[in-house]
Amino acid sequence: MPTVADVCAYLEEIAPLALAADWDNVGLLLGDPAAEVKKVMTCLTLTPDVAEEAVAKGVDLVVTHHPIFFKPVQRVTAETWEGAVILKLAAAGCAVYSVHTAWDDAGGGINDMLSAVIPLDNIKPIRPNTDGVGSGRCGRLKTSMTLNDVAARFRGALGPGAPEPYVICESGDTQTASVVGVACGSAIGFLEDAIAVGCDTFVTGEAKLHEALAARQAGVGLILLGHFASESFAMLELRNKVAGRFTDLSPAGVFTARESDPLSGMTSA
């Protein structure tokens, strides 16, 4: 059977930790690298429900997108939900690994998967780095599409549980997309960069009111997929990759059955 270190090495192979943002908290966050792994679970966020599920299913390693902690902590107690999760998993001998922005920006990672949903040419990072990879993706559409067409394509690709995307634009239903930028999750901070590289359309997970207004006033179409929907599908794909590499896992990788979009009750405009 593989060890925690074996699975971590594979995860770093496909999502190098060097690609992560400098503010991020990625890699092995809890557990013994030498421990044996028989069962792996992937999830978007390690909530109390997901931790309970992992313990009940005898999971040895949870691979989460979002880190348990973003900032240094001085104590871990059951008085906070994060502390309670850590204590529950530690008592069960379950390790935790976070891929977060390393998986967002990796070749074949979340932003590459999103940019493959629509037919784009000459795909490049929105924010290039010295390694030639970078954050976000942008490219020119091979065929003309309205913003609603683009939104519908993403809605279909993200699965039956994905919400209807919000489409925010200046010119209504007829506004077309030509150069499209994509960045998963809460990457609305990439909007100015996307505009600077010539994007007339930007696809991300979520935005605040004034950020949406800024896009509309700039004449840039903004498509909001929902933070959860823009990333959770990729954790299922990551489960498939781990299961394909470590075929003796029992069963061959688990994707959480307990996690759901906390905003699933909202409706789009």
Side-chain angles (χ1 to χ4, degrees):
M1 299 299 295
T3 63
V4 168
D6 293 331
V7 181
C8 290
Y10 174 63
L11 291 169
E12 186 164 0
E13 181 182 316
I14 59 176
L17 300 183
L19 296 178
D22 56 10
W23 48 261
D24 208 356
N25 187 23
V26 293
L28 184 64
L29 305 181
L30 174 70
D32 178 2
E36 189 176 80
V37 175
K38 296 179 181 177
K39 188 176 289 189
V40 173
M41 174 187 284
T42 63
C43 65
L44 186 67
T45 306
L46 191 46
T47 63
D49 283 349
V50 175
E52 183 178 322
E53 177 188 12
V55 172
K57 290 180 176 178
V59 169
D60 303 298
L61 173 63
V62 174
V63 181
T64 179
H65 190 247
H66 299 131
I68 310 169
F69 296 113
F70 278 104
K71 298 178 181 178
V73 296
Q74 294 181 314
R75 58 180 60 86
V76 177
T77 74
E79 294 173 331
T80 66
W81 74 262
E82 296 98 334
V85 164
I86 290 290
L87 292 172
K88 182 184 290 288
L89 294 172
C94 182
V96 178
Y97 187 101
S98 171
V99 289
H100 206 211
T101 53
W103 182 224
D104 291 349
D105 294 339
I110 301 182
N111 287 323
D112 274 350
M113 285 188 272
L114 287 174
S115 64
V117 169
I118 50 177
L120 294 176
D121 274 332
N122 194 27
I123 298 173
K124 296 184 269 191
I126 292 175
R127 289 180 180 172
N129 63 22
T130 55
D131 298 323
V133 185
S135 302
R137 299 292 184 267
C138 64
R140 182 171 293 276
L141 277 169
K142 296 179 182 179
T143 56
S144 179
M145 299 173 70
T146 67
L147 295 184
N148 287 338
D149 291 338
V150 174
R153 188 73 66 89
F154 277 102
R155 171 66 180 80
L158 296 180
E164 194 69 30
Y166 285 86
V167 178
I168 300 164
C169 59
E170 188 179 35
S171 304
D173 293 345
T174 61
Q175 186 162 328
T176 59
S178 178
V179 180
V180 180
V182 298
C184 63
S186 56
I188 191 63
F190 286 61
L191 177 62
E192 289 187 7
D193 303 85
I195 294 172
V197 296
C199 294
D200 55 47
T201 304
F202 185 57
V203 182
T204 189
E206 59 187 354
K208 295 179 181 178
L209 172 65
H210 292 290
E211 295 161 338
L213 287 172
R216 190 169 68 183
Q217 290 165 5
V220 173
L222 184 61
I223 299 174
L224 305 179
L225 306 175
H227 192 136
F228 184 92
S230 74
E231 296 177 334
S232 62
F233 77 98
M235 297 309 292
L236 175 59
E237 177 59 25
L238 191 61
R239 185 283 305 263
N240 295 339
K241 288 179 176 291
V242 172
R245 177 66 170 263
F246 300 100
T247 56
D248 49 353
L249 292 177
S250 176
V254 177
F255 182 62
T256 176
R258 295 283 295 275
E259 190 174 23
S260 61
D261 188 343
L263 300 179
S264 59
M266 296 184 68
T267 57
S268 58

